[in-house]
Amino acid sequence: MFKSVVPVLSQVPAELCLGQQNRGMATLKAISIRLKSVKNIQKITQSMKMVSAAKYSRAERDLKQARPYGVGAQQFYEKAEVAPKEEDSKKLYIAITSDRGLCGAVHTGVARYIRGELAQDPNIKVICVGDKSRAILSRLYGKNIEMVANEIGRLPPTFLDAAKLCNAILNLGYEYTDGKIIYNKFKSVVSYQVADIPIFSLKSVESAEKLPVYDSLDSEVIQSYLEFSLASLLFYTMKEGACSEQSSRMTAMDNASKNAGEMIDKLTLTFNRTRQAVITRELIEIISGASALESKD
């Protein structure tokens, strides 16, 4: 029977046969290429998840050691009841982010908080620690950015990095009365929140009501403590931000791997259905040609 099919197929225009075959093959080829690319993306996201998990465990250990720096530095301002003078207030906000992405809404949360404050008070000056906050804030509030610190997030932050940043802020030339350090406070593996820590200038601390409680405090001692406390707070907030970033990146890469797996399943099902449809159509054409030949005979 199949020998008699050849003359029938020869009577069908060659362009029509090739067009149908090419359409089916092109669809299968496109699905196959996309399926392969999604599988490669899944391998990348799984690898990034494993790397982030290792970095997160180290960042969590470092954060436990760095928390006394932040808690201790805030005790002095709370006990002395330091408050800024409202009549001549110059605010400085320090945004703690990093240069690296693919970590959910870690950086956008800090930038959103600062944008809300700048909408109420456009005279606030901002220091961006990390290129991500600069990229977000420079679109609308580029004039408010006083300084940008890059190369943040590639390696775990150290106290030396915080000391260098503190020295750059103090030598910036902008005399602020008070301000805030805005950062991401780590809560759990899947949870973090945007928080802030107040900072004050020498004049604000010297005018505190309960400052006489501490004995033998002159301007030099207070200035030295303010420099050390600012470095300690920067170190603490950078550790909090690094731990929140790694946990968020680990969660984001896990979700990306799951989404890639679901897409692979859908593409595989589509590929199999398309291949089966092509095979079925070819069989129908062969059977129809054979039936037409038999009916002529």
Coordinates of all heavy atoms in Angstrom, one line a residue, residues 23 29 44 55 82 89 102 120 125 127 132 144 162 170-171 198 200 209 215 226-227 250 255 258 265 282 291:
R23 N 6.7 24.8 9.2 CA 5.9 25.5 10.3 C 6.0 24.6 11.6 O 6.2 25.1 12.7 CB 4.5 25.8 9.9 CG 4.3 27.0 9.0 CD 2.9 27.5 9.0 NE 2.0 26.4 8.5 CZ 1.7 26.3 7.2 NH1 2.2 27.1 6.3 NH2 0.8 25.4 6.8
K29 N 11.4 23.7 17.1 CA 12.7 24.2 17.3 C 12.7 25.4 18.3 O 13.5 25.5 19.2 CB 13.3 24.6 16.0 CG 14.8 25.0 16.1 CD 15.4 25.2 14.8 CE 16.9 25.6 14.9 NZ 17.5 25.9 13.6
I44 N 21.5 28.3 36.9 CA 22.2 29.5 37.5 C 21.5 30.0 38.8 O 22.2 30.3 39.8 CB 22.1 30.7 36.4 CG1 23.0 30.3 35.2 CG2 22.6 32.0 37.0 CD1 22.8 31.3 34.1
K55 N 26.7 32.4 52.2 CA 27.0 33.8 52.6 C 26.1 34.2 53.7 O 26.5 35.0 54.6 CB 26.9 34.7 51.4 CG 28.1 34.6 50.4 CD 28.0 35.6 49.3 CE 29.2 35.5 48.4 NZ 29.1 36.5 47.3
V82 N 19.2 63.1 74.1 CA 19.7 64.1 73.1 C 18.6 64.3 72.1 O 18.0 63.4 71.6 CB 21.0 63.5 72.4 CG1 21.5 64.5 71.4 CG2 22.0 63.2 73.4
S89 N 17.6 73.4 62.0 CA 17.8 71.9 61.8 C 18.3 71.7 60.4 O 17.7 72.1 59.4 CB 16.5 71.2 62.0 OG 16.6 69.8 61.8
L102 N 19.4 41.5 42.5 CA 18.8 40.2 42.5 C 18.5 39.8 43.9 O 18.7 38.6 44.3 CB 19.7 39.2 41.8 CG 20.0 39.4 40.3 CD1 21.0 38.3 39.8 CD2 18.7 39.3 39.5
Q120 N 8.5 65.5 52.0 CA 8.0 66.4 53.1 C 9.0 67.5 53.4 O 8.7 68.6 53.7 CB 7.8 65.6 54.4 CG 6.7 64.5 54.2 CD 6.5 63.7 55.5 OE1 7.2 63.9 56.5 NE2 5.6 62.7 55.4
K125 N 19.8 66.3 53.2 CA 20.9 65.8 52.4 C 21.0 64.3 52.6 O 20.8 63.8 53.7 CB 22.2 66.5 52.8 CG 22.1 68.0 52.5 CD 21.9 68.3 51.0 CE 21.9 69.8 50.7 NZ 21.7 70.1 49.3
I127 N 23.4 60.7 52.0 CA 24.6 60.0 51.7 C 24.2 58.5 51.3 O 23.6 57.8 52.1 CB 25.6 60.0 52.8 CG1 26.1 61.4 53.1 CG2 26.8 59.1 52.6 CD1 27.0 61.5 54.3
K132 N 23.1 51.1 44.5 CA 21.6 50.9 44.2 C 20.8 52.0 44.7 O 19.9 52.5 44.0 CB 21.2 49.5 44.9 CG 21.7 48.3 44.2 CD 21.2 48.2 42.8 CE 21.7 46.9 42.1 NZ 21.2 46.8 40.7
N144 N 20.1 66.3 46.1 CA 20.1 66.1 47.5 C 21.2 65.1 47.9 O 21.6 65.0 49.1 CB 18.8 65.6 48.1 CG 17.7 66.6 47.9 OD1 17.1 66.7 46.8 ND2 17.3 67.3 48.9
A162 N 33.6 50.7 57.9 CA 32.8 51.7 58.6 C 33.6 52.9 59.1 O 33.1 54.0 59.0 CB 32.1 51.0 59.8
L170 N 32.5 62.8 58.1 CA 32.9 63.9 59.0 C 33.7 65.0 58.3 O 33.6 66.1 58.6 CB 33.7 63.4 60.2 CG 32.9 62.5 61.2 CD1 33.9 61.9 62.2 CD2 31.8 63.2 61.8
N171 N 34.5 64.5 57.3 CA 35.3 65.5 56.5 C 34.5 66.0 55.2 O 35.2 66.6 54.3 CB 36.6 64.8 56.0 CG 37.4 64.5 57.2 OD1 37.4 65.2 58.3 ND2 38.2 63.4 57.1
P198 N 18.8 57.3 64.9 CA 19.1 58.7 64.9 C 20.6 59.0 65.2 O 21.3 58.2 65.9 CB 18.3 59.3 66.0 CG 18.1 58.1 67.0 CD 18.0 56.9 66.1
F200 N 23.4 62.5 65.8 CA 23.4 63.9 66.3 C 24.8 64.5 66.1 O 25.8 63.8 66.1 CB 22.9 64.0 67.7 CG 21.6 63.4 68.0 CD1 21.4 62.1 68.5 CD2 20.4 64.1 67.7 CE1 20.2 61.5 68.7 CE2 19.2 63.6 68.0 CZ 19.1 62.3 68.5
E209 N 19.7 67.8 77.9 CA 19.3 68.2 79.3 C 20.1 67.3 80.3 O 20.5 67.8 81.4 CB 17.8 68.0 79.4 CG 17.0 69.0 78.5 CD 15.5 68.8 78.8 OE1 15.2 67.9 79.5 OE2 14.8 69.6 78.1
D215 N 30.1 62.6 84.2 CA 31.2 63.4 84.8 C 32.3 63.5 83.8 O 32.6 62.6 83.0 CB 31.7 62.9 86.1 CG 30.6 62.9 87.1 OD1 29.7 63.7 87.1 OD2 30.7 62.0 88.0
L226 N 31.6 60.7 69.7 CA 30.6 60.8 68.6 C 31.2 60.2 67.3 O 30.5 59.5 66.5 CB 30.3 62.3 68.3 CG 29.4 63.0 69.3 CD1 29.1 64.4 68.9 CD2 28.1 62.2 69.4
E227 N 32.5 60.3 67.1 CA 33.2 59.7 65.9 C 33.2 58.2 66.1 O 32.9 57.5 65.1 CB 34.6 60.2 65.8 CG 34.7 61.7 65.5 CD 36.1 62.2 65.4 OE1 37.0 61.3 65.7 OE2 36.4 63.4 65.2
M250 N 18.7 34.8 48.8 CA 18.5 33.3 48.9 C 17.0 33.0 48.6 O 16.7 32.1 47.9 CB 18.9 32.8 50.3 CG 18.8 31.3 50.4 SD 19.4 30.7 52.0 CE 18.3 31.6 53.1
N255 N 12.7 31.2 44.8 CA 11.4 31.4 44.1 C 11.7 31.4 42.6 O 10.9 30.9 41.8 CB 10.8 32.8 44.5 CG 10.4 32.8 45.9 OD1 10.0 31.8 46.5 ND2 10.4 34.0 46.5
K258 N 11.9 27.8 41.5 CA 10.6 27.2 41.4 C 9.8 27.6 40.2 O 9.2 26.8 39.6 CB 9.9 27.5 42.7 CG 10.4 26.9 44.0 CD 9.6 27.2 45.2 CE 10.2 26.6 46.5 NZ 9.4 27.0 47.7
D265 N 8.1 22.6 33.1 CA 7.0 21.6 33.0 C 6.0 22.0 31.9 O 5.6 21.2 31.1 CB 6.3 21.5 34.3 CG 7.2 20.9 35.4 OD1 8.2 20.2 35.0 OD2 7.0 21.1 36.6
E282 N 1.0 14.3 9.9 CA 1.7 13.6 8.9 C 1.1 12.3 8.6 O 0.9 11.8 7.4 CB 3.2 13.5 9.2 CG 3.9 14.8 9.2 CD 5.4 14.6 9.6 OE1 5.7 13.5 10.0 OE2 6.2 15.6 9.6
S291 N -5.9 6.5 0.9 CA -7.3 6.3 0.7 C -7.8 6.9 -0.7 O -8.5 6.3 -1.4 CB -8.1 6.9 1.8 OG -7.7 6.3 3.1

